Amino acid sequence: MADTQNPALITYVDSSGANWQEFRPGSRRKVLYEDQATGQLTMLVQWDPGYRMAVVEHHAYDEHLYILTGTFVDQHRASGPGTYILNRAGSEHQASTPDGCTFLEVVPGRPQ
């Protein structure tokens, strides 16, 4: 039976109290969870209007995005709030935003 009484198995993060960290010019993030050993990463990302990734991003791991505000654009389409995007390991894209956007990014990393 699962141990439902072990609070060490659950992590809570109040992102409203965390500061945005400049990641690249025009791009900020709030890291909610990170395990560098496995590559696991969960973060909120915010891009200024007109932001464009400087290079094509190649994905070593799956990347899950959920668009919260604004417009996220890659070479395939423009996506607005409520859109879920799965970039599978081995995929690549160079994303941008005309009007700014905020999204949740989850990288499950490799199994432990």
Side-chain angles (χ1 to χ4, degrees):
M1 180 182 284
D3 182 359
T4 60
Q5 301 303 314
N6 186 348
L9 297 177
I10 300 173
T11 300
Y12 297 91
V13 177
D14 180 1
S15 65
S16 65
N19 292 324
W20 288 101
Q21 302 166 343
E22 186 80 12
F23 182 59
R24 295 181 183 109
S27 175
R28 290 163 299 288
R29 67 183 185 172
K30 289 185 182 186
V31 175
L32 306 175
Y33 177 80
E34 184 173 23
D35 183 336
Q36 293 181 350
T38 64
Q40 293 176 324
L41 176 64
T42 303
M43 62 183 169
L44 291 169
V45 178
Q46 188 177 69
W47 289 349
D48 291 341
Y51 177 80
R52 180 175 180 80
M53 295 172 69
V55 298
V56 174
E57 183 177 38
H58 304 276
H59 294 286
Y61 306 113
D62 287 353
E63 174 190 68
H64 303 263
L65 304 178
Y66 184 77
I67 312 307
L68 298 167
T69 65
T71 309
F72 179 96
V73 178
D74 62 20
Q75 62 269 32
H76 304 291
R77 64 179 274 183
S79 301
T83 303
Y84 165 75
I85 303 166
L86 170 57
N87 294 304
R88 295 196 187 278
S91 67
E92 58 186 32
H93 64 142
Q94 187 171 16
S96 63
T97 180
D99 55 351
C101 67
T102 301
F103 55 93
L104 176 68
E105 179 176 338
V106 178
V107 178
R110 61 185 170 277
Q112 295 182 358

